Amino acid sequence: MVNFGKKLMADQIPEWKGYYINYKLMKKKVKQYGQQLQQGEKDHRRVLKDFSKMLDDQIEKIVLFLLEQQGILASRIEKLGKQRAIPQEQPDISGIAELREAYREVGIDLIKLLKFVDLNATGIRKILKKFDKRFGYRFTDYYVTSRSNHPYSQLQQVFKHVGVGAVVGALSRNLAELQERQGSYLSIYDQPSSALKDPIIDMINSSVDKLTRSTNFLRFLGQHAMIADEESPSTAGEEEIEDQKYHFMSLMLNLVNTFLYMVNTYIIVPTADDYSVSLGAASTVCGVVIGSMAVAQIFSSVYFSAWSNKSYFKPLVFSSIVLFLGNVCYAMAYDMKSLTVLIIGRLLCGMGSARAVNRRYISDCVPARIRMQASAGFVSASALGMACGPALAGLLQWKFKVYMVTFNQSTLPGWVMAVAWLLYLIWLWVSFKEPNRATEVNEAPQNPASAQTVDIGRLENGLAQPLLTDSVDKQNEDEDEEVDDSEEAADDSRKPATSIGSAYRLLTPSVKVQLLIYFMLKYAMEILLSESSVITNHYFSWNTSAVAIFLAILGLTVLPVNAVVGTYISNMFEDRQLLMVSQITLLVGIIFSFKVTSTYSVVQYVVSALVTFVSAEVLEGVNLSLLSSVMSSRLSRGTYNGGLLSTEAGTLARVVADCTITAAGYLGVGMLLNVTLLPSLVICVASIACTFLTYNSLF
């Protein structure tokens, strides 16, 4: 396989040769520094200073040339704009065609410039990694964080490329206007039935996508799923293998499983307090009833994640059966007058949580070209289930008996979900198609990086946001070294974590802070949702239907909020800026939720709940986006992967929150609200402080 040095020489534009990173010289310098350190000619501090200056000089050379070329392209576009603005009394179709062709030529030169940036940024990333491996430093962390916000640093120009975005926008607008103008002069029979974007713009956008992750709505939703978008297959053979593994109905079954599980989780929330009281317990025991499902999920996530290494069909069948039995136990507890059976039923439901399998199926078996859409579908199914659960509970207000079995607002959620899981099991048995594991295994030796589910352009444990998401396969990254650098291809640096302990050792401070934030937001959301029926009944005398409508409205805000953030806001601000602002907004919502006067109004509760819930939803997307950026690539695959760690952090937060509700209930319902909000306040303040301390590494 061709190493990067040779690839750089082969792909260079000859007339720009002097402006590329001098990768060969820098490799020699790294080797020379190693020899000088061994011989005592230089100390570590001098080596770091010299290497930093050399890399700064290389980046400055690249950026100055980049700015020069951007100016040339902008000047050409300006001249073409003046030509286009000249008023014409008679239509000139040929003139319009010439202008379009001139704009396309600018577009082709822009693509060359984007490839220039791509190659140079890849070289910067590789030489930083080489330096870290050679000397055992975390120099990459130091270099990026020290220059990320410094006014004199030009590093940001390499991977923010704001000027390039402006040129792309100008080209797109002018070509679109020319197309409309030309269309106004042609017969309707001479123009296509639907206006198509100029192909050159698609080529430019494709090149830009290689430089940085686009922040459209689908990708923002996909980030919630903790299913990162892999590189597209590099060969037709790899695409064919992906297509062989993909089965649309099997994907739908995984999405339906996600939807039903979320419905199952939240359908009992409006009635859990009444159910607990009917069995002789306090209303605040609803925290244990709701949280017992999350307790079991902590363990089920691990074994389902391991099971998905061997099969997808069998775990889904097992999940459906366990969830069917769990819901039957939950419903039968009323007639058996047993709180124990009620909690056992919820524990069984938690043991049937197959979300790890759903994520893994999308990551492994859905072709890269539609994986982001599938990830967005996963999040949408979760959000829809979260809204439908309480709404469905609000509709199940009947009361009757059949053969001594009681059906009422407390038991009907269990019976309805039991029937739903039974029907799902039948559909699963008939329609699911197990992917061909043999194909996957046979291909593994040829392309060991193909199983990764985290962006392959990221530095291991280093750069939080990629310098660039380059199109070079990660296998090249470890094979671009000369013979004397063979120690850098050690297999251990690419092996997935094999235990909780090894996974924990891979967590950098930035990753730990992101997991803390995830814990915090899930804790705040669980407190809000789980105690809503008790709080609203105590202060406002809401019935089950009113609570169900309130929770359904909260759930329905998820997709619109993510649409706004993913489509607009995330394009205007950095992820780390959104992270800080959304945490502060969440803190405001929590503070506003406290009861500090003798009266507590519906307006205060509803507004504070909306602020808290919406802030937490925005925070979740941004948090998981940054988490996937700062997390080691070794946590992208295997049983103990990044998705499992984030799931465990969130599930643990739900367990702690539900236990807090039950424990606070012993102090009385009147104290419940403030006592349960206090930990949310403390954890939120702590997460903001930690974010501030690691802010420069969140890149």
Side-chain angles (χ1 to χ4, degrees):
M1 186 173 290
V2 179
N3 63 43
F4 177 73
K6 294 180 180 178
K7 177 179 175 57
L8 178 63
M9 295 298 295
D11 292 350
Q12 282 182 2
I13 298 172
E15 56 267 32
W16 295 354
K17 184 177 180 180
Y19 302 101
Y20 287 87
I21 183 174
N22 196 333
Y23 186 71
K24 184 176 181 180
L25 172 64
M26 299 197 75
K27 280 180 63 177
K28 287 183 177 179
K29 281 291 186 181
V30 170
K31 183 178 179 181
Q32 182 180 338
Y33 289 148
Q35 294 172 347
Q36 290 174 341
L37 282 173
Q38 288 180 353
Q39 297 169 6
E41 297 177 9
K42 285 188 177 181
D43 59 16
H44 289 78
R45 186 178 181 83
R46 181 62 182 272
V47 167
L48 291 173
K49 183 177 180 180
D50 289 353
F51 185 72
S52 297
K53 184 180 184 305
M54 182 170 60
L55 190 54
D56 287 340
D57 291 341
Q58 291 288 317
I59 292 174
E60 183 177 85
K61 174 184 68 174
I62 295 165
V63 169
L64 291 177
F65 180 75
L66 173 63
L67 294 174
E68 178 187 351
Q69 292 301 310
Q70 287 177 1
I72 293 172
L73 292 175
S75 178
R76 289 169 62 184
I77 293 174
E78 183 184 12
K79 290 179 181 178
L80 291 173
K82 291 178 180 179
Q83 294 179 31
R84 189 171 61 82
I86 297 175
Q88 297 180 0
E89 295 181 0
Q90 298 295 327
D92 185 4
I93 304 302
S94 62
I96 294 175
E98 289 177 3
L99 273 175
R100 290 184 66 183
E101 192 60 35
Y103 275 116
R104 288 194 185 105
E105 290 177 3
V106 176
I108 291 171
D109 288 341
L110 176 58
I111 291 172
K112 291 180 182 178
L113 188 61
L114 291 171
K115 291 181 178 178
F116 168 83
V117 179
D118 188 17
L119 275 174
N120 281 294
T122 303
I124 293 169
R125 176 169 53 79
K126 286 179 176 291
I127 203 65
L128 282 168
K129 183 173 182 179
K130 179 182 287 292
F131 189 89
D132 283 351
K133 284 187 174 182
R134 169 73 74 174
F135 300 107
Y137 295 158
R138 292 293 301 275
F139 178 75
T140 297
D141 280 352
Y142 157 75
Y143 189 81
V144 174
T145 56
S146 63
R147 284 152 177 78
S148 59
N149 286 321
H150 199 283
Y152 301 147
S153 174
Q154 297 175 343
L155 181 64
Q156 292 225 39
Q157 289 286 342
V158 178
F159 60 97
K160 285 297 178 186
H161 47 270
V162 177
V164 173
V167 176
V168 172
L171 272 175
S172 302
R173 182 180 62 83
N174 282 284
L175 281 170
E177 289 182 359
L178 282 173
Q179 186 167 350
E180 291 178 3
R181 182 176 176 183
Q182 187 177 32
S184 65
Y185 296 129
L186 292 176
S187 163
I188 60 172
Y189 301 106
D190 295 325
Q191 59 185 347
S193 58
S194 60
L196 299 176
K197 191 190 303 181
D198 196 290
I200 196 70
I201 298 301
D202 287 331
M203 294 172 63
I204 292 170
N205 289 334
S206 177
S207 297
V208 171
D209 283 343
K210 290 181 181 179
L211 297 180
T212 188
R213 297 165 298 161
S214 61
T215 51
N216 56 29
F217 179 38
L218 284 180
R219 188 170 294 274
F220 191 81
L221 282 180
Q223 290 165 353
H224 279 65
M226 199 61 184
I227 304 169
D229 191 24
E230 290 184 45
E231 294 282 339
S232 299
S234 57
T235 66
E238 290 178 8
E239 288 183 357
E240 183 179 351
I241 291 169
E242 281 197 336
D243 289 338
Q244 289 175 1
K245 293 166 63 179
Y246 174 59
H247 183 237
F248 174 75
M249 190 57 69
S250 299
L251 173 61
M252 288 301 300
L253 283 161
N254 274 278
L255 296 180
V256 171
N257 183 280
T258 297
F259 169 76
L260 289 178
Y261 186 79
M262 293 303 290
V263 172
N264 210 151
T265 300
Y266 290 99
I267 194 173
I268 72 158
V269 173
T271 58
D273 57 334
D274 290 338
Y275 205 165
S276 301
V277 171
S278 68
L279 296 179
S283 60
T284 52
V285 174
C286 68
V288 172
V289 176
I290 297 171
S292 55
M293 191 170 178
V295 171
Q297 190 179 341
I298 292 177
F299 304 99
S300 66
S301 296
V302 178
Y303 69 71
F304 272 119
S305 181
W307 202 350
S308 63
N309 291 326
K310 299 179 181 179
S311 173
Y312 301 103
F313 176 68
K314 292 179 181 178
L316 290 176
V317 170
F318 176 78
S319 166
S320 304
I321 294 173
V322 171
L323 281 159
F324 169 77
L325 295 175
N327 281 289
V328 170
C329 288
Y330 182 85
M332 291 296 296
Y334 187 88
D335 291 309
M336 298 175 68
K337 300 188 184 305
S338 173
L339 183 64
T340 302
V341 173
L342 183 72
I343 294 175
I344 289 174
R346 290 296 285 179
L347 285 170
L348 285 174
C349 289
M351 295 300 289
S353 172
R355 288 172 65 81
V357 180
N358 305 144
R359 282 193 179 102
R360 187 69 177 271
Y361 184 88
I362 294 173
S363 175
D364 291 353
C365 302
V366 176
R369 64 180 182 274
I370 61 170
R371 188 173 298 127
M372 189 52 67
Q373 289 91 326
S375 300
F378 176 87
V379 175
S380 299
S382 298
L384 189 60
M386 185 178 181
C388 288
L392 186 58
L395 297 175
L396 301 176
Q397 298 299 303
W398 307 304
K399 184 175 182 179
F400 57 92
K401 278 194 173 186
V402 178
Y403 297 110
M404 305 301 292
V405 177
T406 303
F407 295 86
N408 58 24
Q409 66 173 15
S410 297
T411 63
L412 276 171
W415 290 119
V416 168
M417 292 311 304
V419 172
W421 284 113
L422 183 60
L423 294 175
Y424 174 81
L425 178 60
I426 297 171
W427 182 22
L428 177 73
W429 196 272
V430 172
S431 303
F432 192 87
K433 180 181 178 182
E434 185 77 76
N436 186 358
R437 293 271 176 174
T439 302
E440 186 177 345
V441 172
N442 291 338
E443 288 300 313
Q446 299 177 20
N447 187 8
S450 63
Q452 294 186 5
T453 58
V454 170
D455 187 1
I456 61 175
R458 299 188 176 103
L459 288 171
E460 179 120 10
N461 289 331
L463 187 60
Q465 179 172 338
L467 284 173
L468 295 173
T469 307
D470 71 84
S471 56
V472 182
D473 190 280
K474 182 156 185 174
Q475 188 172 347
N476 281 349
E477 190 167 297
D478 292 316
E479 295 187 8
D480 73 338
E481 318 298 344
E482 303 294 344
V483 175
D484 59 301
D485 294 327
S486 59
E487 78 275 6
E488 296 183 17
D491 290 338
D492 288 344
S493 66
R494 299 192 301 271
K495 288 181 179 179
T498 55
S499 67
I500 290 291
S502 61
Y504 181 81
R505 287 190 291 272
L506 292 173
L507 302 183
T508 62
S510 298
V511 175
K512 291 176 182 177
V513 170
Q514 295 310 303
L515 290 175
L516 171 64
I517 293 172
Y518 194 67
F519 178 93
M520 179 271 294
L521 71 91
K522 286 296 183 183
Y523 180 92
M525 289 176 68
E526 189 71 10
I527 288 291
L528 170 64
L529 298 175
S530 295
E531 70 179 15
S532 59
S533 58
V534 178
I535 295 298
T536 55
N537 179 264
H538 177 72
Y539 289 109
F540 320 126
S541 300
W542 284 6
N543 58 24
T544 300
S545 297
V547 176
I549 292 172
F550 170 69
L551 294 178
I553 291 173
L554 286 181
L556 289 173
T557 62
V558 173
L559 292 180
V561 168
N562 284 329
V564 172
V565 175
T567 306
Y568 302 106
I569 298 179
S570 60
N571 288 322
M572 296 185 288
F573 302 98
E574 296 178 6
D575 280 354
R576 57 181 181 169
Q577 293 173 326
L578 292 176
L579 185 80
M580 184 64 81
V581 171
S582 54
Q583 285 184 88
I584 294 173
T585 309
L586 178 58
L587 179 63
V588 171
I590 293 172
I591 293 173
F592 192 56
S593 299
F594 277 90
K595 181 181 180 296
V596 294
T597 62
S598 58
T599 59
Y600 194 61
S601 67
V602 174
V603 173
Q604 180 183 350
Y605 178 75
V606 171
V607 171
S608 61
L610 281 171
V611 171
T612 301
F613 189 82
V614 170
S615 300
E617 277 299 321
V618 174
L619 181 59
E620 182 175 3
V622 178
N623 169 252
L624 291 180
S625 171
L626 284 169
L627 185 60
S628 66
S629 297
V630 301
M631 191 171 283
S632 167
S633 60
R634 292 176 62 187
L635 293 172
S636 65
R637 56 201 186 277
T639 300
Y640 301 96
N641 54 65
L644 176 64
L645 292 179
S646 61
T647 299
E648 293 292 83
T651 305
L652 182 61
R654 291 173 54 203
V655 171
V656 174
D658 291 323
C659 290
T660 302
I661 292 172
T662 301
Y666 288 102
L667 300 176
V669 178
M671 296 285 292
L672 179 65
L673 181 65
N674 287 352
V675 171
T676 54
L677 285 174
L678 190 58
S680 297
L681 179 66
V682 173
I683 301 172
C684 189
V685 171
S687 69
I688 292 174
C690 291
T691 302
F692 180 78
L693 293 174
T694 59
Y695 188 77
N696 284 334
S697 64
L698 300 176
F699 221 80

